[in-house]
Amino acid sequence: MTDRLGILVRRLRTQAGLTQEQMAERSGVSVRTIRRLETGKAADHRLGTVNLLADALDLGAEDRRQLAAVLAPAHPSPIPLQGKVNGDSSGPFEPEPEPEPEPELESEVDRVLAGAAAELAREVGRRWQKEEEQRRVHDPFPLPVRWKRAPARLTDHAENIQRLPPGVRPEPMEPAGDLRSVAEAYRGIPSGRLVILGRAGSGKSIMAIRLVLDLLGGSGPDRSRRVPVIFGVGAWDATAVALRDWLVDLLLRDYPHLARRTPGGSTLAAALVDAGLILPVLDGFDEIAEGLRQEALEALNATSLPLVLTSRAGEYAEAVSAARAPLVWAAGIELAGLTPDDLSAYLSRTARPAAQGGRAPGGDGGEGGEALWDSVLEVLRSGKDPAGGRLAEVLSTPLMIALARTMYSEAPGRDPAELLDAGRFPTASSLEDHLLAGFVPTVYRPRVAERAATGDPDRDRRQDRRDRDRRRNWDPDRARHWLGHLAHHLVRLDRDRHDLAWWQIGESLPRSTRVLTVALVSALCVTVSDWAVVLLVAPITPGEALVQGAVVGPVGGLAFGCFYAVMAAFGGGSFAPSQVSLRLRGRTAGIGRRPVRTFTDRFAAVVPGGFVTGIGCACAFALQRALYEGRSLTDPALVEALFINMLVLGLIFSSAAGLVFGLLAALETPLDVGSAATPAGLLSANRATVYRQVLVIVPVLTLAIALGGGLVVRLLAGVLGPLSWKLPEGLVIGAVGGLGGGLSYALCFTAWGQWLIFSRLLLPLTGKLPWSPEDFLDDAYRRGVLRRSGAVYQFRHVRLQHHLGHTYRRRQGNYTPATFPHAAPLASPGRSDR
């Protein structure tokens, strides 16, 4: 009965053209109750509640009889549904109170979600407005990206799209439009589902951004309070992660402030998705691995969630054929190519007159304005030259126009007439390769940075220094080599990934190299910590202290290395950046209302590592005794002591580590809304978080080991025999464990630590990245090679990523990278990339 009633109410509401929010306003029933009823989650339906909904929908007698028939099994003595029938109040009733088990809690949850949705809408709009400016969509004016209705075989029936009951004829849909009208067209789709199709580089992502900004901008009446959020869908594996969980994970990654908990206990990200307040704009369906597209489409069809999907037409058609159905309830539009007239209007305005010494548009020499493109545009407009036809075909997409503009309109000394050379470019593919190959060298040509002018000389000088450091003149060949390594790394990571996350760049190193590095760094941390503590407080000779550190350090490093090797074998070995910060004083925001569960989860996660560390410490002590006492490692007494110490120290270190990291969980607070809006912002936030973690871990772990060790020894003394754990010795062991363990954790088991040792040390040493990769990535974004999607970078387009990755792999056979900056020069792009 529950499912039948929910389906009937949803159909009647859709037929009336109302959203759940609008019906809630009319009826006085909460949105939560309506949603639970329609989804079948509510098991107890009060007659008064259903009557209120029937009145809000202005149902006739027949529809009310249907509702009564569905309700009959739940009411052995059914009372006919009463109320206003089409405005007639002849059947009044006194409705029973609405079943709200926790009305105050629900009201609080609604207020929290409304505030979170408004905050998220502002942040989404701010980010994508900036991204649209960065991509220079409006310079000099937006390209006239047009669309038409997609082929009927790639869309659902019009009756399904408009959610009509049987026998009702659908309204005609918009036949065509452009970039400015896509939001209006979407608002006219009752199902809220739209597929945007087009070939590579046709402007699908730009249209998705414009759709989001127009929906947020309130240029027309919105049908719901949903916040449109763009998700790069290419990394989604529908066979491993449910759509809902994947959306929540990406919201937490790109908007860390949504990790805050609602009064109901779930994160804001999960609550917003569950409440239907997120409109997913899934960009790049064609970038999903070929073998997973069918499963992804079937998973989307298993939901009724309003969404927007962008894809290349061919890949989407293949998925539709494999799944034997398009995206259900979805309308479809297909982007059209640009015409020679579009090119003429656009390209002639991209070549500005030279600032000094240039000639006016139309003047001889062709250095500015229309003159630069005159000969090319004339051939394109004539349509008689085969070379012009190939060029018109290539320049029919915004991607290729942007590349051509960068290479010729914005770089001095380049003549676009060379694009008509049939000998150099006999095919459209060769033209595209030429534009792709020339893009990076063009944007990395040497530039003179402008001087800041704020009116404050000291501030201007500081800003100038920062700008010079961050926007340096990278060598074009080296820049292309580094970008090629990053593009190749995305292929190696997981099929063909497109999100360039700074915390995953270290995975481009072989696993064996990473394990060895973790072992060496951990050994160094433990050794230095042991020397520092023992030489300062322990009553032993310097020579004995040095030997002890030389023994304890490598054994501890081996323990950490083994633990990391296991993690790398099963989970890849990379660590996602923390979505929280630590607040060491003042009231914390509270990561949740379930502290016991949070503590338990964190305790269980670190106990194995603590136990392995304790075992390593016991082995180090046994080796030290063997060296100083001249005993054999096979001495039965020494072996017995070793196994006892392995158990005791394993329990001491594991319990201490669990308690310390449980305390860290209690100090966590979600990041602010704007603190991690960019990859650099998230890196900075995680660096600060790791610093604070070390400040907590070192002293607290020291005390936990020293004091907890005494408790563990007392508990086990009756079972294992006489055990000794004096407080001074325990403090020394605790200090070494706290300092060495804290530093090892910070450098080897956090996202920022791995970025430091892998991406800022090892990869630059091998010539695969510059010494300042953070600045290089930010500079590549500002030059237009990369784009930002929340907390990650992406290449400007997947075509550029594939080209750079292919070029990098091809050159590995005849190019050996040297340590920066003394690197062997790469071949000229004009010769080898065609």
Side-chain angles (χ1 to χ4, degrees):
M1 185 275 294
T2 298
D3 292 340
R4 290 176 58 201
L5 179 62
I7 293 172
L8 179 58
V9 171
R10 184 166 58 248
R11 181 178 66 81
L12 293 173
R13 176 180 59 79
T14 305
Q15 185 176 343
L18 297 178
T19 64
Q20 291 177 343
E21 291 79 7
Q22 291 169 337
M23 189 161 70
E25 292 177 0
R26 289 189 179 189
S27 65
V29 179
S30 71
V31 176
R32 178 171 177 253
T33 297
I34 295 174
R35 185 174 298 113
R36 287 172 57 82
L37 191 150
E38 291 190 358
T39 57
K41 295 181 180 179
D44 181 21
H45 308 294
R46 297 293 181 89
L47 192 60
T49 300
V50 180
N51 270 318
L52 289 174
L53 298 180
D55 288 345
L57 295 173
D58 288 334
L59 296 183
E62 179 60 31
D63 289 331
R64 290 176 182 267
R65 279 193 292 271
Q66 292 185 29
L67 283 174
V70 174
L71 278 173
H75 298 273
S77 300
I79 304 174
L81 284 171
Q82 305 177 49
K84 300 177 181 179
V85 179
N86 292 335
D88 179 14
S89 59
S90 58
F93 67 91
E94 293 295 331
E96 299 179 24
E98 183 183 344
E100 297 297 335
E102 296 177 325
E104 294 182 1
L105 178 61
E106 178 180 341
S107 177
E108 183 182 356
V109 170
D110 290 341
R111 286 195 299 270
V112 169
L113 290 184
E119 187 178 44
L120 177 62
R122 289 191 294 269
E123 178 64 13
V124 169
R126 185 191 66 81
R127 290 192 192 185
W128 288 110
Q129 182 69 46
K130 184 176 181 179
E131 189 66 21
E132 193 178 56
E133 294 172 358
Q134 170 66 22
R135 300 188 191 189
R136 303 174 66 183
V137 172
H138 299 282
D139 181 19
F141 59 86
L143 280 165
V145 180
R146 304 180 186 87
W147 54 266
K148 59 183 179 181
R149 280 203 299 254
R153 63 187 178 85
L154 299 181
T155 65
D156 205 344
H157 298 295
E159 294 85 353
N160 294 340
I161 296 171
Q162 299 181 26
R163 311 299 295 129
L164 298 176
V168 179
R169 298 187 61 180
E171 294 291 332
M173 300 180 65
E174 288 290 333
D178 58 17
L179 194 66
R180 297 168 297 180
S181 62
V182 64
E184 182 181 355
Y186 175 76
R187 290 190 182 97
I189 302 173
S191 67
R193 291 190 151 203
L194 174 66
V195 177
I196 301 175
L197 303 175
R199 61 192 181 108
S202 59
K204 300 182 295 295
S205 296
I206 293 298
M207 182 161 285
I209 294 175
R210 179 39 47 191
L211 172 63
V212 166
L213 292 177
D214 285 347
L215 291 177
L216 290 173
S219 56
D222 282 327
R223 298 172 52 255
S224 71
R225 296 179 298 158
R226 295 185 180 92
V227 180
V229 181
I230 296 179
F231 299 88
V233 75
W236 179 37
D237 182 354
T239 64
V241 185
L243 176 64
R244 179 262 186 196
D245 296 336
W246 179 77
L247 293 175
V248 171
D249 289 343
L250 261 65
L251 283 173
L252 290 173
R253 185 197 72 181
D254 294 339
Y255 305 92
H257 70 284
L258 296 180
R260 294 199 302 266
R261 299 281 180 175
T262 67
S266 64
T267 63
L268 283 175
L272 288 171
V273 172
D274 293 339
L277 295 178
I278 301 296
L279 172 63
V281 180
L282 307 179
D283 187 26
F285 178 82
D286 54 280
E287 297 171 2
I288 296 177
E290 183 176 357
L292 298 175
R293 292 187 197 125
Q294 176 185 346
E295 288 79 3
L297 183 57
E298 291 174 348
L300 294 176
N301 284 341
T303 74
S304 59
L305 182 70
L307 58 87
V308 178
L309 185 72
T310 75
S311 177
R312 296 188 208 178
E315 284 79 353
Y316 180 73
E318 291 176 0
V320 168
S321 177
R324 304 182 64 83
L327 182 63
V328 297
W329 301 344
I333 61 176
E334 187 170 16
L335 304 189
L338 300 169
T339 66
D341 289 338
D342 297 331
L343 302 180
S344 178
Y346 185 81
L347 290 175
S348 62
R349 290 174 59 177
T350 62
R352 270 75 171 197
Q356 295 182 9
R359 303 183 182 181
D364 295 337
E367 291 298 323
E370 291 185 8
L372 181 66
W373 288 93
D374 270 354
S375 59
V376 175
L377 296 176
E378 183 178 353
V379 172
L380 294 179
R381 284 191 291 262
S382 69
K384 298 178 181 179
D385 190 333
R390 286 193 295 272
L391 182 58
E393 177 186 353
V394 170
L395 296 183
S396 63
T397 64
L399 171 64
M400 291 299 161
I401 290 178
L403 298 181
R405 165 189 176 164
T406 301
M407 287 183 62
Y408 296 102
S409 293
E410 300 173 5
R414 301 293 297 266
D415 186 357
E418 67 180 1
L419 298 173
L420 299 173
D421 188 341
R424 291 178 62 187
F425 311 114
T427 63
S429 177
S430 61
L431 272 170
E432 292 179 348
D433 289 342
H434 168 71
L435 294 174
L436 289 167
F439 175 70
V440 170
T442 300
V443 298
Y444 278 96
R445 66 187 186 276
R447 300 178 182 179
V448 178
E450 295 182 0
R451 181 173 299 172
T454 64
D456 184 346
D458 293 336
R459 181 179 178 185
D460 289 346
R461 282 193 295 270
R462 291 193 299 269
Q463 185 63 43
D464 286 342
R465 284 195 297 269
R466 286 194 294 266
D467 289 344
R468 283 195 300 270
D469 290 340
R470 297 182 67 85
R471 192 175 178 81
R472 61 188 67 178
N473 286 321
W474 309 96
D475 178 75
D477 290 336
R478 295 299 299 158
R480 183 171 51 179
H481 174 69
W482 296 325
L483 291 167
H485 170 75
L486 293 173
H488 174 61
H489 151 73
L490 292 177
V491 176
R492 291 181 57 200
L493 260 180
D494 182 12
R495 298 181 297 274
D496 191 4
R497 188 176 294 181
H498 304 284
D499 289 344
L500 182 59
W502 56 262
W503 59 90
Q504 293 176 332
I505 292 177
E507 289 189 56
S508 61
L509 290 166
R511 184 185 301 171
S512 57
T513 302
R514 287 182 280 137
V515 172
L516 179 61
T517 302
V518 167
L520 291 176
V521 171
S522 300
L524 182 61
C525 290
V526 176
T527 298
V528 172
S529 301
D530 186 272
W531 286 341
V533 172
V534 172
L535 288 175
L536 288 175
V537 301
I540 60 176
T541 63
E544 185 179 356
L546 292 176
V547 172
Q548 177 177 314
V551 172
V552 172
V555 174
L558 181 62
F560 279 110
C562 292
F563 184 64
Y564 179 82
V566 173
M567 297 183 64
F570 290 97
S574 66
F575 297 87
S578 173
Q579 304 295 341
V580 297
S581 179
L582 288 186
R583 186 170 298 177
L584 300 183
R585 60 180 179 177
R587 181 179 179 271
T588 63
I591 201 63
R593 296 180 65 187
R594 295 171 292 182
V596 175
R597 179 175 176 181
T598 302
F599 178 87
T600 303
D601 292 343
R602 195 69 58 88
F603 186 94
V606 300
V607 160
F611 199 86
V612 171
T613 304
I615 291 176
C617 186
C619 294
F621 289 158
L623 181 59
Q624 181 184 3
R625 287 185 61 187
L627 291 175
Y628 270 92
E629 298 176 9
R631 301 169 64 179
S632 171
L633 291 175
T634 59
D635 185 340
L638 185 61
V639 172
E640 180 183 2
L642 170 62
F643 281 106
I644 292 176
N645 286 338
M646 289 171 64
L647 175 61
V648 173
L649 292 176
L651 291 175
I652 292 173
F653 277 77
S654 60
S655 59
L659 290 172
V660 169
F661 283 90
L663 175 62
L664 287 179
L667 295 174
E668 289 176 347
T669 182
L671 296 174
D672 295 332
V673 61
S675 62
T678 65
L682 186 59
L683 176 60
S684 177
N686 273 259
R687 178 169 52 241
T689 297
V690 172
Y691 289 167
R692 293 187 177 97
Q693 286 177 332
V694 171
L695 291 177
V696 173
I697 289 174
V698 173
V700 178
L701 186 58
T702 298
L703 294 176
I705 292 174
L707 301 178
L711 178 61
V712 171
V713 167
R714 290 192 192 95
L715 293 175
L716 297 179
V719 179
L720 301 178
L723 298 174
S724 175
W725 185 270
K726 298 179 180 179
L727 183 59
E729 296 175 351
L731 286 173
V732 171
I733 296 175
V736 174
L739 185 58
L743 293 177
S744 297
Y745 163 78
L747 293 176
C748 302
F749 296 91
T750 65
W752 173 79
Q754 292 201 344
W755 161 265
L756 186 66
I757 64 174
F758 295 151
S759 301
R760 297 212 61 180
L761 180 62
L762 282 187
L763 287 172
L765 280 174
T766 58
K768 295 176 180 177
L769 281 183
W771 284 108
S772 182
E774 178 183 355
D775 292 343
F776 176 71
L777 292 174
D778 181 71
D779 183 64
Y781 165 71
R782 298 180 186 278
R783 293 177 188 266
V785 181
L786 301 178
R787 63 188 184 189
R788 280 203 299 242
S789 179
V792 300
Y793 289 106
Q794 295 173 340
F795 279 89
R796 179 190 184 110
H797 195 273
V798 67
R799 293 283 304 278
L800 179 63
Q801 174 184 326
H802 289 168
H803 173 82
L804 291 170
H806 174 73
T807 303
Y808 175 84
R809 289 187 291 273
R810 187 180 64 191
R811 292 185 174 187
Q812 290 311 292
N814 54 21
Y815 173 72
T816 302
T819 301
F820 181 86
H822 305 292
L826 297 177
S828 168
R831 295 192 299 270
S832 64
D833 281 352
R834 290 193 193 118

